Amino acid sequence: MSKPRIEEWTQLRALAFLAIVMQHSIAEYIYRADIEQADSIMLTMVYHLTRFGTPTFVFLSAVLLFYNYGEYSGKMNYFKFIRKRFGDVYVPFLCWTFIYWLYVHVFSPSFWQKGGQDWGSLPKELVIPQNGYQLWFINMIMQFYIFFPIMAAIYRGVRGRLHSLSERTRSRSVFAIIACTGLFYFILLYLSYHQMGPWAEALGRPWSDLLQYRSYSFLMYGFYFVIGAVCAANVEKWRTWCTKLLPWSGLVFLGMYIRLGSDVLRGSGEVVNLNISTYLKPATFIIIIAQMLLLYGLLIMMQSRNKTFLRLLSWIGRYSFGGYLVHALVIYIIGNFTRPLELGGSHLRFTLLTFMLTVSASLGISCMLSRMPGSRWIVGAKKRSLQRKVSEKSDYRSKSRVFS
Protein backbone atom coordinates (compact mmCIF):
# COMPACT_ATOMS: atom_id res chain seq x y z
CA MET A 1 0.00 0.00 0.00
CA SER A 2 1.15 3.54 -0.78
CA LYS A 3 1.98 5.63 2.23
CA PRO A 4 0.20 8.91 2.93
CA ARG A 5 1.68 12.03 1.40
CA ILE A 6 3.59 14.32 3.78
CA GLU A 7 2.54 17.75 2.63
CA GLU A 8 5.22 19.81 4.38
CA TRP A 9 7.90 18.04 2.34
CA THR A 10 6.38 19.45 -0.84
CA GLN A 11 6.19 22.88 0.76
CA LEU A 12 9.78 22.69 1.96
CA ARG A 13 10.84 21.68 -1.56
CA ALA A 14 9.14 24.82 -2.83
CA LEU A 15 11.11 27.00 -0.42
CA ALA A 16 14.34 25.26 -1.46
CA PHE A 17 13.55 25.86 -5.13
CA LEU A 18 12.86 29.56 -4.49
CA ALA A 19 16.14 29.83 -2.57
CA ILE A 20 18.13 28.27 -5.43
CA VAL A 21 16.56 30.58 -8.02
CA MET A 22 17.40 33.56 -5.82
CA GLN A 23 21.02 32.41 -5.48
CA HIS A 24 21.44 32.14 -9.23
CA SER A 25 19.66 35.46 -9.82
CA ILE A 26 22.09 37.10 -7.42
CA ALA A 27 25.06 35.48 -9.19
CA GLU A 28 23.87 37.05 -12.46
CA TYR A 29 24.33 40.58 -11.07
CA ILE A 30 26.69 40.66 -8.10
CA TYR A 31 29.86 40.21 -10.17
CA ARG A 32 29.12 42.96 -12.69
CA ALA A 33 31.69 45.71 -12.95
CA ASP A 34 29.24 48.60 -12.49
CA ILE A 35 27.69 47.34 -9.26
CA GLU A 36 27.78 49.74 -6.32
CA GLN A 37 28.95 48.74 -2.86
CA ALA A 38 25.50 49.18 -1.31
CA ASP A 39 24.00 46.72 -3.79
CA SER A 40 26.87 44.26 -3.23
CA ILE A 41 26.27 44.27 0.51
CA MET A 42 22.49 43.92 0.16
CA LEU A 43 22.81 41.05 -2.31
CA THR A 44 25.28 39.33 0.02
CA MET A 45 22.78 39.63 2.85
CA VAL A 46 20.01 38.14 0.71
CA TYR A 47 22.36 35.40 -0.52
CA HIS A 48 22.97 34.11 2.99
CA LEU A 49 19.23 33.73 3.49
CA THR A 50 19.23 31.14 0.69
CA ARG A 51 22.08 28.77 1.58
CA PHE A 52 19.67 26.04 2.67
CA GLY A 53 18.40 25.46 -0.89
CA THR A 54 20.47 22.64 -2.39
CA PRO A 55 21.17 20.77 0.90
CA THR A 56 17.43 20.78 1.53
CA PHE A 57 16.91 19.08 -1.83
CA VAL A 58 19.43 16.45 -0.68
CA PHE A 59 17.59 16.05 2.62
CA LEU A 60 14.23 15.66 0.87
CA SER A 61 15.61 13.16 -1.64
CA ALA A 62 16.79 11.01 1.27
CA VAL A 63 13.53 11.47 3.19
CA LEU A 64 11.40 10.29 0.28
CA LEU A 65 13.52 7.24 -0.47
CA PHE A 66 13.80 6.08 3.14
CA TYR A 67 10.11 6.81 3.69
CA ASN A 68 8.98 4.80 0.67
CA TYR A 69 11.64 2.06 0.54
CA GLY A 70 13.49 2.01 3.85
CA GLU A 71 11.05 -0.30 5.65
CA TYR A 72 10.80 -2.78 2.79
CA SER A 73 12.06 -6.05 4.25
CA GLY A 74 11.96 -8.13 1.06
CA LYS A 75 14.65 -8.33 -1.57
CA MET A 76 14.73 -5.05 -3.49
CA ASN A 77 14.61 -5.33 -7.27
CA TYR A 78 17.74 -3.25 -7.79
CA PHE A 79 17.41 -3.13 -11.58
CA LYS A 80 13.81 -1.91 -11.39
CA PHE A 81 14.73 0.64 -8.71
CA ILE A 82 17.61 2.12 -10.74
CA ARG A 83 15.64 2.00 -13.98
CA LYS A 84 12.90 4.13 -12.41
CA ARG A 85 15.42 6.68 -11.10
CA PHE A 86 17.20 6.71 -14.45
CA GLY A 87 13.95 7.46 -16.26
CA ASP A 88 12.60 9.98 -13.75
CA VAL A 89 15.82 11.85 -13.03
CA TYR A 90 18.74 11.05 -15.33
CA VAL A 91 16.92 11.10 -18.69
CA PRO A 92 15.65 14.66 -18.02
CA PHE A 93 19.25 15.52 -17.08
CA LEU A 94 20.47 14.23 -20.45
CA CYS A 95 17.74 16.16 -22.24
CA TRP A 96 18.46 19.46 -20.52
CA THR A 97 22.23 19.04 -20.73
CA PHE A 98 21.87 18.95 -24.51
CA ILE A 99 19.47 21.92 -24.47
CA TYR A 100 21.87 24.05 -22.40
CA TRP A 101 24.86 23.01 -24.48
CA LEU A 102 23.00 23.86 -27.67
CA TYR A 103 21.77 27.21 -26.33
CA VAL A 104 25.24 28.32 -25.21
CA HIS A 105 26.89 27.23 -28.44
CA VAL A 106 24.26 28.65 -30.75
CA PHE A 107 25.02 32.06 -29.26
CA SER A 108 28.79 31.49 -29.37
CA PRO A 109 30.48 32.95 -32.49
CA SER A 110 33.53 30.72 -32.00
CA PHE A 111 31.37 27.63 -32.44
CA TRP A 112 30.28 28.74 -35.91
CA GLN A 113 33.73 29.99 -36.79
CA LYS A 114 34.92 26.42 -36.28
CA GLY A 115 32.14 25.16 -38.53
CA GLY A 116 30.25 23.65 -35.62
CA GLN A 117 33.11 21.32 -34.78
CA ASP A 118 33.02 21.80 -31.01
CA TRP A 119 30.90 18.70 -30.33
CA GLY A 120 33.70 17.28 -28.20
CA SER A 121 32.68 19.56 -25.34
CA LEU A 122 29.25 17.92 -25.04
CA PRO A 123 30.42 14.69 -23.31
CA LYS A 124 32.24 16.80 -20.70
CA GLU A 125 28.91 18.42 -19.83
CA LEU A 126 27.55 15.02 -18.85
CA VAL A 127 30.26 14.65 -16.20
CA ILE A 128 30.89 18.23 -15.06
CA PRO A 129 28.01 20.45 -16.23
CA GLN A 130 29.05 24.01 -16.93
CA ASN A 131 26.45 25.36 -19.36
CA GLY A 132 23.56 24.10 -17.23
CA TYR A 133 25.45 24.89 -14.05
CA GLN A 134 22.68 23.69 -11.73
CA LEU A 135 22.64 20.21 -13.28
CA TRP A 136 25.62 19.04 -11.19
CA PHE A 137 23.07 18.16 -8.52
CA ILE A 138 21.60 15.40 -10.70
CA ASN A 139 24.96 13.68 -11.10
CA MET A 140 25.52 13.90 -7.36
CA ILE A 141 22.11 12.58 -6.33
CA MET A 142 22.33 9.70 -8.84
CA GLN A 143 25.31 8.44 -6.82
CA PHE A 144 23.03 8.29 -3.79
CA TYR A 145 20.45 6.33 -5.76
CA ILE A 146 23.07 3.83 -6.90
CA PHE A 147 24.18 3.09 -3.34
CA PHE A 148 20.76 3.44 -1.71
CA PRO A 149 20.06 -0.33 -1.32
CA ILE A 150 23.15 -0.58 0.89
CA MET A 151 22.02 2.42 2.93
CA ALA A 152 18.51 0.98 3.19
CA ALA A 153 19.94 -2.25 4.64
CA ILE A 154 21.88 -0.23 7.25
CA TYR A 155 18.73 1.78 7.96
CA ARG A 156 16.68 -1.37 8.61
CA GLY A 157 19.42 -2.81 10.81
CA VAL A 158 19.54 0.31 12.97
CA ARG A 159 15.73 0.42 13.19
CA GLY A 160 15.69 -3.20 14.32
CA ARG A 161 18.15 -2.49 17.13
CA LEU A 162 16.30 0.63 18.26
CA HIS A 163 12.95 -1.11 18.29
CA SER A 164 13.88 -3.26 21.30
CA LEU A 165 14.91 -0.25 23.41
CA SER A 166 12.78 1.79 25.77
CA GLU A 167 11.33 5.04 24.46
CA ARG A 168 13.75 7.27 26.34
CA THR A 169 16.77 5.17 25.39
CA ARG A 170 15.56 5.15 21.79
CA SER A 171 15.44 8.95 21.64
CA ARG A 172 18.85 9.27 23.24
CA SER A 173 20.30 6.73 20.82
CA VAL A 174 18.92 8.59 17.81
CA PHE A 175 20.28 11.87 19.15
CA ALA A 176 23.67 10.21 19.64
CA ILE A 177 23.62 9.00 16.03
CA ILE A 178 22.84 12.52 14.80
CA ALA A 179 25.51 14.08 17.04
CA CYS A 180 28.25 11.61 16.08
CA THR A 181 27.58 11.74 12.34
CA GLY A 182 27.32 15.53 12.57
CA LEU A 183 30.70 15.73 14.30
CA PHE A 184 32.38 13.50 11.70
CA TYR A 185 30.74 15.50 8.92
CA PHE A 186 31.93 18.78 10.47
CA ILE A 187 35.50 17.41 10.54
CA LEU A 188 35.14 16.33 6.89
CA LEU A 189 34.03 19.82 5.92
CA TYR A 190 36.91 21.37 7.87
CA LEU A 191 39.39 19.20 5.98
CA SER A 192 37.64 19.97 2.70
CA TYR A 193 37.64 23.74 3.24
CA HIS A 194 41.11 24.14 4.76
CA GLN A 195 43.21 21.14 3.71
CA MET A 196 42.00 19.39 0.58
CA GLY A 197 42.90 22.24 -1.76
CA PRO A 198 46.65 21.90 -1.07
CA TRP A 199 46.28 18.12 -1.13
CA ALA A 200 44.84 18.29 -4.64
CA GLU A 201 47.81 20.34 -5.82
CA ALA A 202 50.31 17.91 -4.30
CA LEU A 203 48.74 14.68 -5.53
CA GLY A 204 48.78 13.33 -9.04
CA ARG A 205 45.83 12.17 -11.08
CA PRO A 206 43.25 10.75 -10.55
CA TRP A 207 43.35 11.73 -6.85
CA SER A 208 43.89 15.40 -7.60
CA ASP A 209 40.80 15.44 -9.86
CA LEU A 210 38.70 13.66 -7.24
CA LEU A 211 39.66 16.24 -4.63
CA GLN A 212 39.25 19.16 -7.01
CA TYR A 213 35.69 18.10 -7.87
CA ARG A 214 34.82 16.79 -4.40
CA SER A 215 31.69 18.97 -4.30
CA TYR A 216 30.23 16.62 -6.95
CA SER A 217 30.49 13.61 -4.63
CA PHE A 218 27.44 12.50 -2.64
CA LEU A 219 29.75 11.71 0.30
CA MET A 220 30.27 15.44 0.82
CA TYR A 221 26.57 15.76 1.62
CA GLY A 222 26.34 12.64 3.78
CA PHE A 223 24.90 14.24 6.90
CA TYR A 224 21.81 15.43 5.04
CA PHE A 225 21.13 11.83 4.04
CA VAL A 226 21.41 10.79 7.70
CA ILE A 227 18.91 13.33 9.00
CA GLY A 228 16.67 12.49 6.06
CA ALA A 229 16.63 8.89 7.28
CA VAL A 230 15.87 10.04 10.84
CA CYS A 231 12.97 12.18 9.63
CA ALA A 232 11.56 9.34 7.51
CA ALA A 233 11.77 6.91 10.44
CA ASN A 234 9.33 8.89 12.54
CA VAL A 235 7.74 11.92 10.93
CA GLU A 236 5.72 12.92 13.99
CA LYS A 237 8.75 12.89 16.27
CA TRP A 238 10.73 14.95 13.75
CA ARG A 239 7.90 17.48 13.66
CA THR A 240 7.91 17.69 17.46
CA TRP A 241 11.66 18.19 17.58
CA CYS A 242 11.60 20.95 14.95
CA THR A 243 8.83 22.89 16.69
CA LYS A 244 10.44 22.57 20.14
CA LEU A 245 13.80 23.69 18.75
CA LEU A 246 12.35 26.78 17.03
CA PRO A 247 13.77 29.38 19.47
CA TRP A 248 17.21 27.76 19.43
CA SER A 249 17.38 27.11 15.71
CA GLY A 250 16.34 30.72 15.16
CA LEU A 251 19.08 32.05 17.42
CA VAL A 252 21.75 29.83 15.85
CA PHE A 253 20.63 30.87 12.38
CA LEU A 254 20.79 34.57 13.31
CA GLY A 255 24.26 34.23 14.81
CA MET A 256 25.66 32.30 11.84
CA TYR A 257 23.95 34.67 9.40
CA ILE A 258 25.90 37.57 10.91
CA ARG A 259 29.08 35.47 10.99
CA LEU A 260 28.90 34.40 7.34
CA GLY A 261 28.06 37.89 6.11
CA SER A 262 31.03 39.26 8.01
CA ASP A 263 33.34 36.53 6.64
CA VAL A 264 32.38 37.28 3.04
CA LEU A 265 32.64 41.05 3.34
CA ARG A 266 35.99 40.92 5.15
CA GLY A 267 37.43 38.25 2.86
CA SER A 268 36.42 39.90 -0.40
CA GLY A 269 38.29 42.55 -2.33
CA GLU A 270 36.65 45.10 -4.61
CA VAL A 271 34.37 42.33 -5.89
CA VAL A 272 32.36 40.25 -3.43
CA ASN A 273 33.47 36.61 -3.35
CA LEU A 274 30.44 34.46 -2.52
CA ASN A 275 32.54 31.30 -2.75
CA ILE A 276 33.82 32.11 0.73
CA SER A 277 30.54 30.68 2.05
CA THR A 278 30.56 27.51 -0.03
CA TYR A 279 28.38 24.55 0.98
CA LEU A 280 31.53 22.73 2.11
CA LYS A 281 32.45 25.36 4.70
CA PRO A 282 31.82 24.30 8.33
CA ALA A 283 30.15 27.60 9.23
CA THR A 284 27.83 27.30 6.23
CA PHE A 285 26.89 23.78 7.34
CA ILE A 286 25.78 25.13 10.72
CA ILE A 287 23.59 27.87 9.23
CA ILE A 288 22.04 25.39 6.78
CA ILE A 289 21.04 22.93 9.51
CA ALA A 290 19.71 25.73 11.72
CA GLN A 291 17.68 27.23 8.88
CA MET A 292 16.39 23.85 7.73
CA LEU A 293 15.11 23.03 11.23
CA LEU A 294 13.73 26.55 11.57
CA LEU A 295 11.77 26.41 8.32
CA TYR A 296 10.48 22.89 9.00
CA GLY A 297 9.23 23.96 12.41
CA LEU A 298 7.57 27.08 11.01
CA LEU A 299 5.85 25.05 8.29
CA ILE A 300 4.44 22.69 10.92
CA MET A 301 3.11 25.59 12.97
CA MET A 302 1.49 27.14 9.88
CA GLN A 303 -0.38 24.01 8.77
CA SER A 304 -3.64 25.04 10.44
CA ARG A 305 -3.33 28.77 9.76
CA ASN A 306 -2.28 30.28 6.42
CA LYS A 307 -3.85 27.79 4.03
CA THR A 308 -3.59 30.03 0.96
CA PHE A 309 0.17 30.47 1.32
CA LEU A 310 0.67 26.75 1.98
CA ARG A 311 -1.40 25.82 -1.06
CA LEU A 312 0.82 28.10 -3.14
CA LEU A 313 3.93 26.43 -1.75
CA SER A 314 2.44 23.00 -2.47
CA TRP A 315 1.79 24.00 -6.08
CA ILE A 316 5.33 25.35 -6.47
CA GLY A 317 6.74 22.19 -4.90
CA ARG A 318 4.87 19.94 -7.32
CA TYR A 319 6.55 21.58 -10.32
CA SER A 320 9.85 22.45 -8.68
CA PHE A 321 11.92 19.70 -10.31
CA GLY A 322 11.04 20.85 -13.81
CA GLY A 323 11.48 24.44 -12.67
CA TYR A 324 14.90 23.56 -11.31
CA LEU A 325 15.94 22.07 -14.65
CA VAL A 326 14.79 25.04 -16.71
CA HIS A 327 15.42 28.06 -14.48
CA ALA A 328 19.05 28.67 -15.47
CA LEU A 329 17.97 28.88 -19.12
CA VAL A 330 15.42 31.56 -18.18
CA ILE A 331 18.15 33.50 -16.36
CA TYR A 332 20.38 33.19 -19.46
CA ILE A 333 17.62 34.67 -21.63
CA ILE A 334 16.95 37.51 -19.18
CA GLY A 335 20.71 38.17 -19.01
CA ASN A 336 20.83 38.68 -22.77
CA PHE A 337 18.66 41.76 -22.24
CA THR A 338 20.14 43.08 -18.97
CA ARG A 339 23.87 42.63 -19.57
CA PRO A 340 24.15 45.44 -22.15
CA LEU A 341 22.39 47.84 -19.75
CA GLU A 342 24.07 50.23 -17.32
CA LEU A 343 22.57 49.25 -13.98
CA GLY A 344 24.55 51.37 -11.55
CA GLY A 345 22.52 51.61 -8.34
CA SER A 346 19.81 49.23 -9.63
CA HIS A 347 21.39 45.79 -9.28
CA LEU A 348 19.28 44.84 -6.27
CA ARG A 349 16.05 45.79 -8.04
CA PHE A 350 17.02 43.94 -11.21
CA THR A 351 17.97 40.89 -9.14
CA LEU A 352 14.54 40.82 -7.50
CA LEU A 353 12.85 41.38 -10.87
CA THR A 354 14.90 38.58 -12.44
CA PHE A 355 14.00 36.30 -9.53
CA MET A 356 10.27 36.90 -9.92
CA LEU A 357 10.34 36.51 -13.71
CA THR A 358 12.46 33.36 -13.48
CA VAL A 359 10.24 31.71 -10.87
CA SER A 360 7.09 32.50 -12.86
CA ALA A 361 8.50 31.42 -16.23
CA SER A 362 10.23 28.29 -14.90
CA LEU A 363 7.18 27.00 -13.06
CA GLY A 364 4.94 27.89 -16.00
CA ILE A 365 7.17 25.96 -18.41
CA SER A 366 7.40 23.03 -15.98
CA CYS A 367 3.61 22.93 -15.54
CA MET A 368 3.06 23.12 -19.30
CA LEU A 369 5.61 20.41 -20.11
CA SER A 370 4.23 18.12 -17.39
CA ARG A 371 0.91 18.01 -19.27
CA MET A 372 2.49 16.91 -22.54
CA PRO A 373 2.98 13.32 -23.70
CA GLY A 374 6.39 12.00 -22.65
CA SER A 375 6.69 14.59 -19.90
CA ARG A 376 8.48 12.05 -17.71
CA TRP A 377 11.53 12.26 -19.97
CA ILE A 378 11.64 16.07 -19.78
CA VAL A 379 10.53 17.16 -16.31
CA GLY A 380 10.50 13.89 -14.39
CA ALA A 381 7.74 11.66 -13.08
CA LYS A 382 4.27 13.07 -12.63
CA LYS A 383 3.48 13.81 -9.01
CA ARG A 384 1.15 11.58 -7.08
CA SER A 385 -2.40 12.61 -6.36
CA LEU A 386 -2.74 15.12 -3.58
CA GLN A 387 -5.61 13.27 -1.99
CA ARG A 388 -3.25 11.14 0.12
CA LYS A 389 -2.26 13.39 2.99
CA VAL A 390 -1.27 12.87 6.57
CA SER A 391 -4.07 13.88 8.88
CA GLU A 392 -4.37 13.95 12.59
CA LYS A 393 -6.15 10.56 12.38
CA SER A 394 -3.54 8.87 10.19
CA ASP A 395 -2.49 5.49 11.55
CA TYR A 396 0.93 5.89 9.97
CA ARG A 397 2.25 7.54 13.10
CA SER A 398 1.68 4.42 15.16
CA LYS A 399 3.22 2.19 12.48
CA SER A 400 6.29 4.28 11.91
CA ARG A 401 7.34 4.89 15.49
CA VAL A 402 11.03 4.10 15.83
CA PHE A 403 11.97 6.51 18.58
CA SER A 404 9.79 8.46 20.94
Side-chain angles (χ1 to χ4, degrees), residues 9 58-68 225 227-229 231-232:
W9 294 347
V58 178
F59 164 77
L60 291 172
S61 297
V63 164
L64 289 170
L65 280 188
F66 285 112
Y67 180 68
N68 290 310
F225 296 122
I227 60 174
C231 175

Side-chain angles (χ1 to χ4, degrees), residues 147-311:
F147 291 100
F148 175 74
I150 300 175
M151 299 179 188
I154 297 173
Y155 173 82
R156 289 192 297 271
V158 173
R159 281 176 60 93
R161 289 180 177 273
L162 292 177
H163 184 71
S164 61
L165 302 177
S166 65
E167 293 185 358
R168 176 175 294 185
T169 305
R170 226 178 289 164
S171 293
R172 291 177 177 176
S173 298
V174 172
F175 180 77
I177 291 172
I178 296 174
C180 290
T181 53
L183 177 60
F184 281 116
Y185 185 68
F186 188 88
I187 295 172
L188 176 63
L189 293 185
Y190 176 85
L191 293 175
S192 172
Y193 193 77
H194 297 283
Q195 304 293 332
M196 290 186 185
W199 292 353
E201 296 177 1
L203 295 173
R205 290 186 172 182
W207 306 110
S208 60
D209 290 337
L210 291 175
L211 288 177
Q212 181 181 356
Y213 295 106
R214 59 191 178 276
S215 62
Y216 290 72
S217 170
F218 82 105
L219 295 174
M220 300 304 299
Y221 304 88
F223 184 74
Y224 305 109
F225 296 122
V226 173
I227 60 174
V230 172
C231 175
N234 192 323
V235 180
E236 284 301 315
K237 192 65 176 184
W238 182 264
R239 289 169 172 170
T240 301
W241 280 2
C242 288
T243 51
K244 286 185 176 180
L245 288 173
L246 272 175
W248 303 107
S249 57
L251 287 174
V252 173
F253 168 74
L254 179 61
M256 297 310 300
Y257 176 76
I258 296 172
R259 162 73 184 276
L260 278 179
S262 176
D263 286 349
V264 170
L265 294 177
R266 285 190 291 107
S268 302
E270 294 183 0
V271 178
V272 170
N273 181 12
L274 296 180
N275 287 328
I276 292 175
S277 57
T278 174
Y279 289 130
L280 304 186
K281 181 178 181 177
T284 308
F285 162 61
I286 296 175
I287 195 175
I288 289 170
I289 294 299
Q291 191 172 14
M292 193 182 297
L293 295 175
L294 176 65
L295 291 174
Y296 203 112
L298 290 175
L299 284 174
I300 296 304
M301 294 187 67
M302 292 173 61
Q303 292 303 312
S304 60
R305 299 175 185 177
N306 197 333
K307 294 291 187 179
T308 302
F309 177 66
L310 293 179
R311 282 196 295 268

Side-chain angles (χ1 to χ4, degrees), residues 132-152:
Y133 47 78
Q134 85 284 17
L135 297 179
W136 70 270
F137 176 82
I138 306 300
N139 274 343
M140 185 275 292
I141 208 66
M142 282 300 299
Q143 300 169 45
F144 172 59
Y145 294 154
I146 290 171
F147 291 100
F148 175 74
I150 300 175
M151 299 179 188

